[in-house]
Amino acid sequence: VGGSPPTFDTMPSIACVSIIGKENQPLWMRMYKDGLSQEALDVGPRFGSAEGGGAQIGDEDEVLRFHFLMHSALDIVEERHREPLPKPGRAVAAGSKSQQVTMYLGYLCPIEEFHLYGYVSNTHIKFIVALEEREGGNTAQPELQNLCKQMHHLYVNQVMNPFVSFDQPLKSTGPFGMELDRLVHAFNARS
């Protein structure tokens, strides 16, 4: 499922970042376009209000579209992240290669004009990034892997705060949101 990562004739840019919890509940979702960002987790009466965080770069249909894209990738994430079962009659030694699971899942699949990439933490928190083509360069695998590690580090720092609930949506305002936006904007601005 998914195939090999695409090579772009143009420099890809991040269109959406989603952090999804252990029980597949959305914890964070933000859309990015033309140097702007928009909260995409809350859809409803507050959508588009000043409280939502960020600029208005998409309507409610666009937000729902990204929710669909991100959740469509979850089956692939679960399939790739599942630990391989030991062969019958064989014990698996702790730390052996067959027991190790890679956190960076890489290229998941193409959906519409986006290419989805995934990363899963040891606690089964999923980071899904939607890339959209843009004028410029080539594939972004190494940079994207580094970005996912940095997002994971930010997330860990955020949930280490005793006033933040581990399984509740993250607030779009504050240091976590600003730093994640900075990372994404730096990724999108590279040449």
Side-chain angles (χ1 to χ4, degrees):
V1 176
S4 61
T7 54
F8 297 99
D9 291 334
T10 59
M11 184 66 76
S13 66
I14 294 174
C16 185
V17 171
S18 181
I19 301 174
I20 300 172
K22 187 177 194 175
E23 302 298 323
N24 293 337
Q25 76 277 23
L27 301 176
W28 170 270
M29 186 176 285
R30 198 135 178 147
M31 300 181 332
Y32 298 89
K33 186 175 187 177
D34 299 328
L36 301 173
S37 63
Q38 175 183 325
E39 168 79 27
L41 193 56
D42 292 328
V43 179
R46 282 185 18 178
F47 179 78
S49 69
E51 301 174 59
Q56 183 75 19
I57 59 174
D59 60 10
E60 196 167 335
D61 289 339
E62 186 76 5
V63 171
L64 290 173
R65 177 179 174 222
F66 276 109
H67 275 267
F68 169 75
L69 293 174
M70 296 300 164
H71 281 85
S72 295
L74 286 178
D75 287 338
I76 299 168
V77 169
E78 295 296 328
E79 180 181 305
R80 290 218 191 141
H81 188 64
R82 192 176 307 138
E83 292 189 45
L85 297 173
K87 293 183 180 174
R90 292 180 129 181
V92 177
S96 71
K97 286 210 181 238
S98 62
Q99 199 177 46
Q100 294 174 355
V101 177
T102 303
M103 292 181 12
Y104 180 67
L105 302 176
Y107 182 66
L108 300 174
C109 63
I111 299 180
E112 298 178 10
E113 70 269 22
F114 302 101
H115 299 278
L116 302 181
Y117 290 78
Y119 182 97
V120 181
S121 74
N122 290 334
T123 55
H124 303 287
I125 303 298
K126 300 148 202 84
F127 299 80
I128 300 177
V129 177
L131 286 185
E132 183 176 33
E133 291 184 29
R134 194 177 69 177
E135 304 235 355
N138 263 318
T139 186
Q141 281 281 356
E143 297 98 343
L144 196 55
Q145 183 173 6
N146 187 38
L147 177 82
C148 287
K149 287 178 184 177
Q150 291 173 332
M151 288 190 314
H152 182 208
H153 181 73
L154 286 174
Y155 177 78
V156 168
N157 286 343
Q158 178 70 12
V159 297
M160 284 176 48
N161 180 340
F163 300 107
V164 173
S165 178
F166 184 69
D167 59 349
Q168 294 298 311
L170 301 167
K171 294 185 181 192
S172 63
T173 57
F176 174 77
M178 290 187 321
E179 189 62 22
L180 197 127
D181 283 349
R182 185 192 65 73
L183 288 173
V184 170
H185 291 306
F187 180 92
N188 287 348
R190 75 202 187 292
S191 50

